[in-house]
Structure formats: structure tokens, C-alpha cells
Amino acid sequence: MTASDRPRAVRASATAGTDTVKDRRIYRVPALTSVYPSRRHPGHQAVRADDARFVVTVLNPLARAEYDEVRGDYVHVGADYMCEIFPSGQVDRLKLLSRFSSSWAFVDDLMDDSVDADHIETLLGACAEAVLGRSVAGPEFRPFADVFAPRGWAPGAHQLCVEEMLAWIASVRAMRSAEIGHEVLSVARYLDLRSRNDAVQAVHSLAGYAMPELAPQLYAAAGTDGYRQAVRHSAAAVGIALDLSMVNAERAEITEWAHIVPVVERSQGPGRQRAIDTAVALFHQHEQRLGAHLTELRATHPAVAEAVRACHGGNMGWIARSRKRGLRYAES
């Protein structure tokens, strides 16, 4: 994709900070095999059909009218994703979550392809306003407000998820600021940000909405170190896997500054393939640590431990399917 092909909001903002562009050489990136299996929700087709109607009638026309093109397959990042990470969720709730996830990916794309701090801040502000129930800036933000409306939530679970979404917003702000300013991040700092920025910690908290019977135990577990560490290591592992899945992809990006491979390479010295191999090793380390904390969590909150395990396995299964498609958001 050339600069002239990018959405208007991106094209207007992508005029600075682009000296670090995507490396187009092909590198050896092994398929990451998770120790956690995945399964898809049996109601997947019904959820997918509902999300497809939303994407076709709301998101795609908005993308064409406001941003010149449809940026990706938003049903894949909506219904396909939600049915993979919540294989035991209630179908009616998975439909709402799928529309939200499709919209979330849509808005996230607009931020990922921009180096305009004001543009990014406007989008983050609109996300926060919708999550907090204050205002809805446009139809792409309506699913945020629908999911985060207090009705249908256990009070503690709602508070937890709102806090996780606000933490996601803060992490995006920090990550994009580091990227735009070419801030040199340590590997530890990058993974700390990435474990929020990839939204996986927030997604884990959505289990209390997808499976309302789990909400009281989830809220209780969220106060324990075992849960917090489990979801942090899950999110770090998934962030590494997502980054590695894009190494040889053709998806256009403004910059690859904030990405596990160049971050590792800046830390340990030149050698892109060596940095990839180090990132693969880091992925397996985080999965091992996840396992240790799941064992701890299972002793006190077994249903939550199973939900975390299923969500992590679903994330990894979805990434594996996405990689086979060629691009994370590619049309099949």
C-alpha cells in the first residue's frame, strides 16, 4: 500500500517520524506452538452472521466514506476472535462482544497507521467517553457504549473491565508516544507496555460479561497476585506472537519502531534473525510463567483459571489461523 492509498485521516498525519519503515526482507519465523489448546464456540456461525451484518452495514460504509477503503476483515477480528477466546460464552453476549471487537479493531487501525499525536488522542478520548458512558462520537464507538453500559454486568466485574479498558487506553497513549518520539525502550519496558497495548489483559476481564455466572469469582480472583500475573504473562506472550506474525507480512505500517524484534535488536545489538530467535524464546518463557500462575490460581479460583487458560489458548489459536491467512486482518 502506498501513502496515496492510505485512509484520509492517516494520509494527513503520516508526514513525520517515518524514517523507521518496515523491513521488507524475509526472515525465518517459526510457527509458535502454544501448550494451551483452543476450541471454537459451537454457536460461531450465528455469532458470525450477526457480526457480518454489523460490519457490512456500519463499519465498511464508514470506512469507505471517511477513510477511502476497508482496512481489513473486521468479522475475523470480531466474531471469529470472540468465539475463539470465549468458547463457553453466552451467544447473545458474544454477539455484542463481536460487534465491539470489530469496532475496536477498526479504531485501533486508525491509530496504528497514524503518527499524528492529536489524531490518536482524539480517538482515544472517544473510546474513553464511550466506555465511561458519557458520549458516543460516531457509529464506530456505539458498540463500546453498548458493551460497557452497566446493565447486564455484575457490579464488580463491570468496574474491573472499565478499569482494564482505561489501562489499555493509557498503554496505547504511551506506546504511540514512544513510537512517534523514537523513545528507546528496554525489552522489559516494551513487554510491560505491550501486555496492555495488545488488549489481552482487558479481554481476559471481559470473561465476566461473556460468562456472567463467572463474574463474582472473576472479581474476587482479580484481587490476587496469581490472577494478575497469569493475565500479564498471557498478554506478554500474545503480544510477542502478534509481533512475530507480522515480521514477513505485507501489511503496510507507518513504522516498526515499537515491535518486539527491533526492540530486542536495539538491546542486544545488530542481527535481525538473532533478535527473532530471542523473541521466540521470550514467548516460551512467558507461557511457562503463565502455567505456574495458573496452577496457583486453580487452587483458589478453578473456574477463573480455566477461563484464563481457554482465553489464552483461543488467542494463540486465532493467531495461528490468521498467520495461515497471510495477514492478521487479510480477507480470506
Side-chain angles (χ1 to χ4, degrees):
M1 184 187 298
T2 65
S4 62
D5 294 324
R6 291 196 187 101
R8 280 194 292 270
V10 174
R11 201 162 56 231
S13 62
T15 57
T18 59
D19 52 311
T20 304
V21 297
K22 187 170 180 63
D23 186 338
R24 293 298 180 186
R25 287 172 289 182
I26 302 300
Y27 293 92
R28 185 184 71 256
V29 183
L32 296 178
T33 303
S34 174
V35 298
Y36 299 93
S38 66
R39 61 187 177 91
R40 183 173 276 176
H41 195 285
H44 170 245
Q45 288 304 318
V47 176
R48 197 178 209 281
D50 180 83
D51 191 35
R53 284 191 292 272
F54 168 73
V55 169
V56 168
T57 59
V58 177
L59 288 187
N60 287 354
L62 178 66
R64 294 188 185 101
E66 299 296 328
Y67 305 106
D68 294 346
E69 66 170 338
V70 175
R71 186 67 174 81
D73 180 356
Y74 293 110
V75 181
H76 179 53
V77 293
D80 292 353
Y81 179 60
M82 284 290 152
C83 285
E84 196 91 13
I85 64 173
F86 297 132
S88 300
Q90 292 187 4
V91 168
D92 59 335
R93 291 178 177 234
L94 286 179
K95 288 178 180 179
L96 287 175
L97 286 171
S98 296
R99 293 176 219 156
F100 162 62
S101 187
S102 293
S103 294
W104 197 359
F106 177 85
V107 172
D108 195 51
D109 274 347
L110 300 180
M111 291 186 285
D112 281 349
D113 278 345
S114 177
V115 291
D116 184 330
D118 291 339
H119 172 65
I120 293 165
E121 189 58 41
T122 296
L123 292 168
L124 289 175
C127 289
E129 290 293 296
V131 166
L132 292 170
R134 294 173 180 166
S135 65
V136 179
E140 65 269 45
F141 297 100
R142 170 52 56 189
F144 287 72
D146 290 344
V147 165
F148 285 93
R151 64 183 182 278
W153 281 87
H158 180 260
Q159 175 189 350
L160 170 66
C161 211
V162 169
E163 289 174 355
E164 288 290 353
M165 282 300 297
L166 295 179
W168 171 77
I169 288 169
S171 74
V172 173
R173 184 179 291 117
M175 185 75 89
R176 299 300 285 127
S177 176
E179 191 170 43
I180 292 168
H182 282 188
E183 177 186 346
V184 177
L185 300 171
S186 68
V187 175
R189 173 59 176 158
Y190 174 76
L191 288 177
D192 181 59
L193 285 174
R194 191 68 170 110
S195 71
R196 291 286 186 186
N197 171 259
D198 64 13
V200 171
Q201 293 195 59
V203 164
H204 277 294
S205 72
L206 284 170
Y209 184 80
M211 297 168 283
E213 70 281 1
L214 184 69
Q217 189 178 138
L218 177 66
Y219 181 59
T224 68
D225 185 65
Y227 175 84
R228 289 193 295 268
Q229 293 297 328
V231 299
R232 183 175 71 85
H233 287 298
S234 168
V238 171
I240 292 168
L242 285 170
D243 283 0
L244 290 174
S245 74
M246 298 305 296
V247 168
N248 293 326
E250 288 300 318
R251 181 181 178 214
E253 294 178 330
I254 293 295
T255 174
E256 61 165 5
W257 182 264
H259 180 290
I260 187 60
V261 175
V263 167
V264 169
E265 191 174 13
R266 286 192 292 270
S267 174
Q268 69 181 19
R272 182 58 53 101
Q273 188 61 57
R274 186 164 66 103
I276 290 169
D277 296 341
T278 297
V280 170
L282 285 169
F283 165 81
H284 291 298
Q285 288 175 21
H286 281 285
E287 276 218 331
Q288 289 170 0
R289 291 168 185 164
L290 166 62
H293 290 293
L294 282 179
T295 298
E296 176 186 349
L297 184 62
R298 194 173 292 113
T300 55
H301 300 90
V304 176
E306 173 56 26
V308 172
R309 185 214 63 78
C311 184
H312 181 80
N315 269 287
M316 292 306 303
W318 181 83
I319 292 170
R321 287 187 175 89
S322 298
R323 184 169 173 175
K324 288 180 180 177
R325 292 158 66 98
L327 278 177
R328 184 154 59 108
Y329 298 161
E331 298 284 359
S332 54

